[in-house]
Amino acid sequence: MNKKNRFYKKLTALIATGLLTAAVSGTALAADTVQLDLHDSVQMALENNRTIRQALTDVDTAKWTLSKARRTMGPTFSWNTTAYRIGGDTYEKQMIDGGQFGNNLQLGMPLYNGSVKGQIKQARYGLNAQDLALEETKQAIRLQATSDYYNILQCRNLIDVDQESVNTLQEHLDNVNAQYRVGTVAKSDVLASQVQLANAQQALVTAQNNYDIAVSTLNNVIGLPTDTVLDIRDQLKYTKYDLTQDDCTNYALDNRADGAAARYAVKMAEAAVETAKAGYQPTVNAVATKAIAGDKEFNKDHTETWTAGVNASWNVFDNGLTQASIKSANMALAKAQEEAAQTDDQIRLDVRTAYLGLQAAEKNIQTTSVAVTRAEEDYKIAQVRYSAGVGTNLDVMDANEKLTTARTNYYTALYNYNTSKASLDKAMGIPVDLDVVKYTEAEQAGATAPKAREAAKLKDDAVFEMEQLQKLEQANAAAEAATVQDTDQAAQTVQKSADAAENPSAATVTSEAVASDMAN
């Protein structure tokens, strides 16, 4: 089982753990815990996300559309058989059997058909466009999984912020109560502190709920049950980004999969114009026929005739139908060209938006970091002043609120920086499985779609067709079933060992015997 099947490894490990736990204790845990990092999350999303599977079926559909168009130019063989019973006075008076049977066999081969030739071109470029649409989908899912992963880290940070606020306000409330008991502060300070603490506790509950939702959302994207507990140990970090906006834009215009797909859409529209112009051209076919006729099905006394030759047809006048088709196809071509230009404009906008968001978040990280330091110092001063009787309770609660806001803003800036960086990767078209430039170069050199994929793929185990994925899943299912069977045997062996420990009179199960059973 190769590295791409990370999801199946984790799932099998969970099954194995559950079976062994059940064998020893008789019960299995209701919820599973999976330890993930960002790479695992993205990889599992690429393997299991249903949107990608739908895109794979689009590739297969385009492949068979091309196959159908190509086979239209291949040879055809047809067999037509007839059986008649003829009656009437003439046949009855002459006592002639009125049975008539015939077989007509025909072999045809298109020699020239401009319309089919254009349709083959359209289907070919359609397959290229779907290959690139699949890569675009994979990049979008990578961004979604990355953003959802970062959202979990952000929610966890906000839980820490709110928890620290609750702890701080609880300590302050204890201090206020102590001073109230000795009569140095008013009851209103106690009540105000209690309200502030309750508000902070409510914010903490909301933050914890947001975290649970974020975990379920990521589980849904990567193909795990939504109630799976994720053990994520990463932290949001700041890593400086060195590329300029012009570098990012130029790279995106060359490498964005949707930009290349839009250019193939233009080629498809050009091929559609050729298809429409074929209405002015003749079609030529080679035909060979053989006819067998007689009054009995299997009678040797029958007649045979055969013909072989070429037939051509030319629609000399079609009342302007071809001209109208050409003009319609030209308008579709103009629209495809405008859409390709619009896609390039959108690429520039996407890059600029993500890059500016990255710069703003980077600046905010610096300013909010300073704000946190100063807010912490301000809160300490407010506490000291209140304890000394020269500050008010309102000053302390206001300082605490500012500190919570500063910490929240800092983590939000870190979150925005990382998500903006992921969005910039998507806007630039950083590849997942397919190098777009190499793919288009191979196709322009005459390579078919499968050969172009082979020349441009970035991973040996990259999946580009639904049929390929189905074969891989069948192999994984067989391997998983074998693993579960081996685990079940191991569980039975462990159970035997446990029974022997409880019942000394039973046959002794040695460690060597357990190892032997597990090996088998």
Side-chain angles (χ1 to χ4, degrees):
M1 197 176 296
N2 58 32
K3 63 181 180 181
K4 187 164 180 67
N5 304 321
R6 197 179 302 271
F7 168 73
Y8 295 100
K9 288 181 178 180
K10 290 182 178 294
L11 185 60
T12 302
L14 291 172
I15 294 173
T17 303
L19 287 174
L20 288 174
T21 303
V24 175
S25 64
T27 59
L29 295 177
D32 297 319
T33 301
V34 178
Q35 184 175 342
L36 290 179
D37 57 17
L38 178 58
H39 179 269
D40 288 336
S41 300
V42 171
Q43 189 62 44
M44 292 173 68
L46 294 174
E47 292 172 13
N48 304 298
N49 189 269
R50 295 191 182 278
T51 304
I52 293 179
R53 298 172 74 90
Q54 294 171 31
L56 288 170
T57 61
D58 290 338
V59 173
D60 282 55
T61 299
K63 178 184 72 173
W64 291 113
T65 299
L66 174 59
S67 177
K68 182 174 69 173
R70 284 175 172 167
R71 291 178 184 276
T72 305
M73 289 297 293
T76 59
F77 178 77
S78 63
W79 171 30
N80 181 34
T81 184
T82 59
Y84 298 105
R85 184 70 181 175
I86 305 175
D89 294 341
T90 302
Y91 279 82
E92 292 176 359
K93 290 178 181 180
Q94 297 180 11
M95 302 182 68
I96 299 176
D97 188 355
Q100 292 292 323
F101 299 90
N103 292 283
N104 192 320
L105 295 89
Q106 179 173 303
L107 178 64
M109 178 69 182
L111 299 180
Y112 180 79
N113 191 316
S115 177
V116 173
K117 182 180 178 182
Q119 291 171 8
I120 291 175
K121 274 190 176 181
Q122 286 179 262
R124 174 190 170 189
Y125 294 136
L127 178 55
N128 295 139
Q130 288 301 330
D131 279 342
L132 295 168
L134 172 63
E135 174 63 21
E136 170 72 12
T137 301
K138 290 179 179 179
Q139 293 177 18
I141 295 303
R142 178 183 62 189
L143 173 60
Q144 183 180 357
T146 302
S147 298
D148 290 341
Y149 184 87
Y150 287 149
N151 190 37
I152 291 177
L153 301 184
Q154 169 69 348
C155 289
R156 189 176 63 190
N157 286 335
L158 295 183
I159 289 176
D160 293 340
V161 169
D162 290 332
Q163 183 64 64
E164 192 164 356
S165 177
V166 169
N167 295 341
T168 301
L169 288 172
Q170 183 63 61
E171 291 177 0
H172 176 64
L173 178 60
D174 294 341
N175 182 32
V176 173
N177 282 324
Q179 294 193 53
Y180 174 71
R181 284 193 293 269
V182 297
T184 58
V185 299
K187 179 67 173 179
S188 59
D189 285 2
V190 177
L191 296 176
S193 300
Q194 290 174 339
V195 171
Q196 190 80 350
L197 176 59
N199 290 337
Q201 290 170 336
Q202 182 179 357
L204 176 59
V205 170
T206 301
Q208 291 170 336
N209 183 65
N210 290 338
Y211 176 82
D212 292 337
I213 293 175
V215 170
S216 297
T217 301
L218 180 61
N219 283 334
N220 183 62
V221 171
I222 66 180
L224 289 177
T226 54
D227 62 346
T228 303
V229 179
L230 299 183
D231 181 10
I232 297 177
R233 303 177 184 178
D234 288 338
Q235 297 290 339
L236 288 174
K237 299 178 181 178
Y238 166 72
T239 305
K240 186 172 179 57
Y241 198 82
D242 295 326
L243 292 179
T244 66
Q245 183 178 333
D246 288 339
D247 292 336
C248 296
T249 301
N250 293 333
Y251 182 92
L253 291 173
D254 291 335
N255 291 272
R256 274 278 287 262
D258 55 343
R263 292 190 285 273
Y264 277 112
V266 172
K267 290 186 176 184
M268 290 176 62
E270 292 172 345
V273 173
E274 292 182 26
T275 302
K277 290 181 178 179
Y280 288 135
Q281 303 169 0
T283 59
V284 183
N285 300 287
V287 180
T289 63
K290 183 175 183 179
I292 304 173
D295 57 3
K296 298 291 184 182
E297 306 97 310
F298 304 106
N299 193 345
K300 294 181 180 180
D301 186 14
H302 59 262
T303 60
E304 295 186 10
T305 58
W306 61 269
T307 60
V310 176
N311 65 45
S313 63
W314 197 343
N315 194 354
V316 179
F317 178 72
D318 61 1
N319 197 32
L321 177 61
T322 298
Q323 184 182 13
S325 298
I326 292 173
K327 289 185 176 181
S328 176
N330 278 325
M331 290 300 100
L333 172 59
K335 180 180 179 181
Q337 291 169 338
E338 289 298 326
E339 289 176 343
Q342 184 181 21
T343 300
D344 287 342
D345 291 341
Q346 186 64 46
I347 289 173
R348 294 185 181 93
L349 177 60
D350 290 344
V351 172
R352 180 169 176 78
T353 301
Y355 194 87
L356 292 178
L358 186 70
Q359 285 187 319
E362 184 177 30
K363 294 175 182 178
N364 287 336
I365 290 173
Q366 298 170 359
T367 57
T368 56
S369 177
V370 174
V372 169
T373 301
R374 292 177 178 174
E376 289 174 344
E377 183 179 358
D378 182 54
Y379 179 76
K380 291 178 182 178
I381 294 174
Q383 271 191 320
V384 172
R385 286 174 57 84
Y386 182 76
S387 298
V390 294
T392 66
N393 185 49
L394 182 61
D395 292 337
V396 176
M397 292 188 295
D398 184 58
N400 176 78
E401 185 174 350
K402 290 179 179 178
L403 176 57
T404 301
T405 301
R407 287 170 174 166
T408 300
N409 290 341
Y410 172 72
Y411 286 122
T412 300
L414 269 180
Y415 169 74
N416 289 339
Y417 181 82
N418 283 274
T419 53
S420 294
K421 189 176 180 181
S423 296
L424 183 57
D425 287 346
K426 170 64 175 63
M428 291 172 60
I430 302 298
V432 175
D433 284 337
L434 199 68
D435 186 315
V436 173
V437 174
K438 290 183 179 179
Y439 181 91
T440 53
E441 288 176 348
E443 184 279 324
Q444 290 171 0
T448 61
K451 291 183 179 179
R453 295 174 201 152
E454 190 66 25
K457 71 179 183 180
L458 300 176
K459 293 179 284 188
D460 292 336
D461 53 1
V463 176
F464 298 107
E465 295 180 1
M466 191 62 176
E467 292 181 352
Q468 179 187 0
L469 178 63
Q470 290 172 340
K471 291 179 181 178
L472 180 64
E473 288 180 337
Q474 290 174 357
N476 289 335
E480 184 181 340
T483 302
V484 171
Q485 183 178 4
D486 292 343
T487 305
D488 187 42
Q489 292 177 353
Q492 293 176 3
T493 302
V494 172
Q495 184 63 54
K496 291 178 182 179
S497 178
D499 292 342
E502 293 178 0
N503 186 8
S505 62
T508 302
V509 180
T510 64
S511 59
E512 291 79 4
V514 172
S516 177
D517 287 346
M518 294 180 68
N520 295 329

